[in-house]
Amino acid sequence: MAASEPAYRTISEVAEQIGVPQHVLRFWETRFPQIQPLKRGGNRRYYRPQDIALLTRINRLLHSDGYTIKGVQKLLDDGVAPTADAAVPMPKVVRRAAPVRDAVPAEVGALYGSTLDGALDGGKRLDIASLVAIRTRLANALAEARAL
């Protein structure tokens, strides 16, 4: 006989319901502090209905919506509450950086046109000063991309 709806669930029941292995649920507990199942004797985990809703939402965000673990962490840290209704879309806060070839520093562009193909094909060699300038520009572009 199945347990009633408001009852606590074991990790095996939750893993089967969500469709992920038990070790994944244990791993998510280490990455998402919002997941706090009750632990009883022998460190046995018992999940409440709100824990199951959160785990279902995390699973959907990671496997269906394409978020990374860091992206889901950011959503949860920003106070975006998980909902039981999977049809409610959440705003995407994880943005992709522009391709490297679209943000080529001027020094490289002057040497190789608008792409890095010359550098990658064994074209002209760069001196140390040019490499340092390029590295600085790329580091700044990376910092800017991370700030998005």
Side-chain angles (χ1 to χ4, degrees):
M1 182 170 158
S4 63
E5 194 59 39
Y8 293 101
R9 307 275 187 207
T10 64
I11 192 168
S12 60
E13 291 172 326
V14 174
E16 184 178 328
Q17 178 181 344
I18 294 175
V20 297
Q22 294 177 25
H23 70 272
V24 171
L25 296 179
R26 289 187 207 98
F27 172 73
W28 287 350
E29 285 179 34
T30 66
R31 295 296 184 248
F32 303 104
Q34 297 86 352
I35 303 172
Q36 297 179 350
L38 296 174
K39 291 186 181 176
R40 299 293 171 150
N43 235 5
R44 191 170 168 94
R45 292 167 172 81
Y46 291 96
Y47 293 88
R48 298 172 293 250
Q50 60 266 31
D51 295 325
I52 297 170
L54 176 60
L55 290 167
T56 302
R57 186 68 165 167
I58 290 171
N59 185 45
R60 185 176 150 277
L61 289 169
L62 289 172
H63 296 115
S64 298
D65 295 350
Y67 281 88
T68 62
I69 287 179
K70 284 191 177 198
V72 175
Q73 288 170 338
K74 181 159 177 47
L75 284 175
L76 295 176
D77 289 343
D78 289 346
V80 178
T83 64
D85 182 11
V88 176
M90 292 181 64
K92 297 274 187 182
V93 295
V94 179
R95 298 182 182 139
R96 299 181 194 274
V100 174
R101 293 181 188 274
D102 293 346
V104 176
E107 294 87 1
V108 176
L111 290 172
Y112 302 108
S114 62
T115 68
L116 295 174
D117 291 338
L120 299 175
D121 293 340
K124 299 178 186 175
R125 292 193 170 260
L126 299 175
D127 63 347
I128 293 295
S130 296
L131 290 173
V132 170
I134 292 168
R135 184 183 183 282
T136 303
R137 290 225 173 178
L138 289 174
N140 291 340
L142 179 61
E144 186 179 334
R146 286 185 176 155
L148 293 178

